[in-house]
């Protein structure tokens, strides 16, 4: 056995300890932010050891009772606006985006990709969707993370390339940060394209499909091989992407790899935008961190 000089051994031990500490910090759960207001209002049914849940959703309670102006402005108790001080409009390689939190040395990175007709403004609107975007902004800032909401040219190759470039840019500045990609509606096409990116898969902490679409090819993707946690949130009355197709997708992923970290929440009576309003960000991201 070759013995290292004492000085080299000390440096190696220090480096290993530093790396272990960094990994441990990254794996720590996100601390709470208004959990009592954003927790699921009730579980109607649970299957697959809790991986599949049907959540009670009621428009009168979850929109009319939560919003001062229904679907336009959440009641003040659902938002914390001090986070706006850490919000910037930026551009990287032609990709305009809003960044909230630490652009370097972040512990976590969450990126939201909007659907058809949306823009980077949707993902940072503090008052729409019951204040749920304000919550993820605060969760990232409170936990030393970074939240990104970008524009992109399309939902095809150009859009995926632009988003991948943006993610890699910020991931290089925060190399230990797991990257969570949340895709709303048609934005899911980008989630599925990015899932196939072998260079990106190792950075991913999880994928979230929110009222979004399926991809039968997911089980052959780099993200699937890397066992990247997958969350599916869907309204039972979604007329854009039917819930039965997303449930079939959920079952296909489980069947392709028993024990794969996939969860699905069906919001009973919810419509297309319900998962963006109702998904519990903190619970979902903490599960993904524990599953990595």
């Amino acid at each position: 056995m070759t013995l290292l000089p004492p000085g080299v051994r000390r440096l190696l031990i220090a480096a290993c300890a530093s790396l272990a500490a960094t990994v441990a910090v990254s794996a720590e759960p996100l601390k709470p932010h208004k959990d009592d207001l954003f927790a699921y209002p009730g579980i109607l049914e649970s299957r697959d050891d809790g991986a599949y849940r049907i959540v009670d959703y009621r428009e009168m309670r979850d929109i009319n009772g939560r919003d001062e102006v229904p679907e336009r402005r959440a009641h003040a108790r659902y938002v914390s606006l001090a986070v706006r001080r850490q919000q910037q409009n930026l551009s990287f390689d032609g990709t305009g985006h809003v960044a909230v939190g630490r652009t370097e040395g972040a512990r976590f990175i969450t990126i939201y990709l909007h659907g058809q007709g949306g823009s980077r403004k949707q993902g940072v609107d503090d008052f729409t969707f019951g204040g749920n975007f304000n919550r993820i902004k605060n969760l990232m800032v409170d936990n030393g993370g970074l939240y990104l909401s970008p524009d992109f040219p399309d939902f095809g190759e150009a859009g995926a390339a632009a988003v991948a470039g943006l993610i890699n840019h910020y991931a290089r500045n925060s190399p230990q940060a797991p990257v969570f990609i949340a895709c709303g509606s048609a934005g899911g096409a980008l989630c599925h394209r990015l899932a196939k990116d072998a260079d990106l898969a190792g950075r991913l902490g999880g994928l979230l499909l929110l009222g979004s679409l399926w991809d039968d090819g997911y089980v052959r993707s780099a993200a699937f091989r890397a066992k990247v946690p997958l969350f599916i949130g869907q309204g039972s009355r979604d007329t854009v992407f039917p819930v039965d197709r997303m449930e079939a997708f959920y079952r296909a992923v489980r069947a392709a790899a028993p024990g794969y970290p996939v969860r699905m929440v069906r919001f009973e009576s919810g419509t297309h935008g319900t998962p963006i309003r109702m998904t519990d960000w903190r619970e979902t991201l903490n599960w993904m961190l524990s599953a990595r």
Side-chain angles (χ1 to χ4, degrees):
M1 181 176 67
T2 302
L3 295 177
L4 295 173
V8 175
R9 286 203 304 272
R10 284 195 297 271
L11 288 173
L12 183 60
I13 291 169
C16 290
S18 176
L19 177 61
T22 299
V23 172
V25 167
S26 294
E28 288 179 0
L30 279 69
K31 58 187 179 183
H33 180 82
K34 298 183 183 289
D35 284 24
D36 55 331
L37 295 176
F38 288 92
Y40 294 133
I43 307 298
L44 300 177
E45 187 177 337
S46 178
R47 307 175 197 160
D48 304 333
D49 295 322
Y52 175 94
R53 288 173 292 173
I54 300 178
V55 168
D56 182 37
Y57 171 78
R58 303 176 193 174
E59 183 176 327
M60 289 300 295
R61 177 192 63 206
D62 299 316
I63 293 183
N64 294 41
R66 187 161 159 177
D67 292 357
E68 181 180 341
V69 181
E71 299 187 332
R72 289 180 176 270
R73 188 176 183 87
H75 283 292
R77 65 181 179 275
Y78 286 90
V79 301
S80 297
L81 298 181
V83 73
R84 288 179 174 177
R85 291 196 294 267
Q86 298 200 44
Q87 183 167 310
Q88 306 175 72
N89 277 291
L90 302 172
S91 180
F92 170 74
D93 200 21
T95 301
H97 59 282
V98 183
V100 188
R102 301 183 62 171
T103 56
E104 296 183 0
R107 292 179 59 214
F108 315 96
I109 298 174
T110 301
I111 182 168
Y112 173 75
L113 304 179
H114 63 77
Q116 194 73 42
S119 73
R120 59 182 167 180
K121 295 179 181 179
Q122 182 190 60
V124 290
D125 192 312
D126 292 296
F127 288 99
T128 56
F129 294 99
N132 215 13
F133 283 125
N134 179 264
R135 188 188 188 211
I136 184 58
K137 287 161 61 174
N138 275 281
L139 282 169
M140 287 295 101
V141 168
D142 290 350
N143 290 277
L146 171 66
Y147 176 69
L148 300 169
S149 181
D151 287 325
F152 38 85
D154 60 26
F155 297 97
E157 290 185 13
V163 172
L166 185 69
I167 292 172
N168 286 326
H169 167 69
Y170 282 106
R172 282 192 295 271
N173 292 339
S174 303
Q176 300 300 327
V179 179
F180 305 100
I181 308 177
C183 297
S185 187
L190 292 177
C191 257
H192 290 303
R193 283 183 177 274
L194 294 168
K196 297 177 173 66
D197 187 334
D199 294 331
L200 188 62
R203 299 186 185 276
L204 296 182
L207 296 170
L208 295 80
L209 299 174
L210 307 177
S212 195
L213 66 157
W214 58 93
D215 178 14
D216 295 335
Y218 180 78
V219 296
R220 298 183 294 276
S221 70
F224 179 81
R225 291 193 297 273
K227 295 186 177 180
V228 172
L230 175 65
F231 174 84
I232 303 166
Q234 204 76 7
S236 68
R237 294 170 54 199
D238 190 328
T239 58
V240 180
F241 301 117
V243 69
D244 59 336
R245 294 299 304 270
M246 293 305 287
E247 288 178 328
F249 174 58
Y250 161 79
R251 291 192 297 270
V253 173
R254 284 178 56 88
Y260 187 89
V262 56
R263 282 187 172 183
M264 179 166 184
V265 171
R266 169 180 171 139
F267 296 97
E268 197 60 33
S269 83
T271 54
H272 187 53
T274 300
I276 297 176
R277 168 180 287 267
M278 298 296 294
T279 292
D280 186 333
W281 286 105
R282 179 171 178 262
E283 184 206 65
T284 302
L285 298 187
N286 278 344
W287 161 69
M288 288 179 166
L289 287 168
S290 70
R292 290 177 72 237

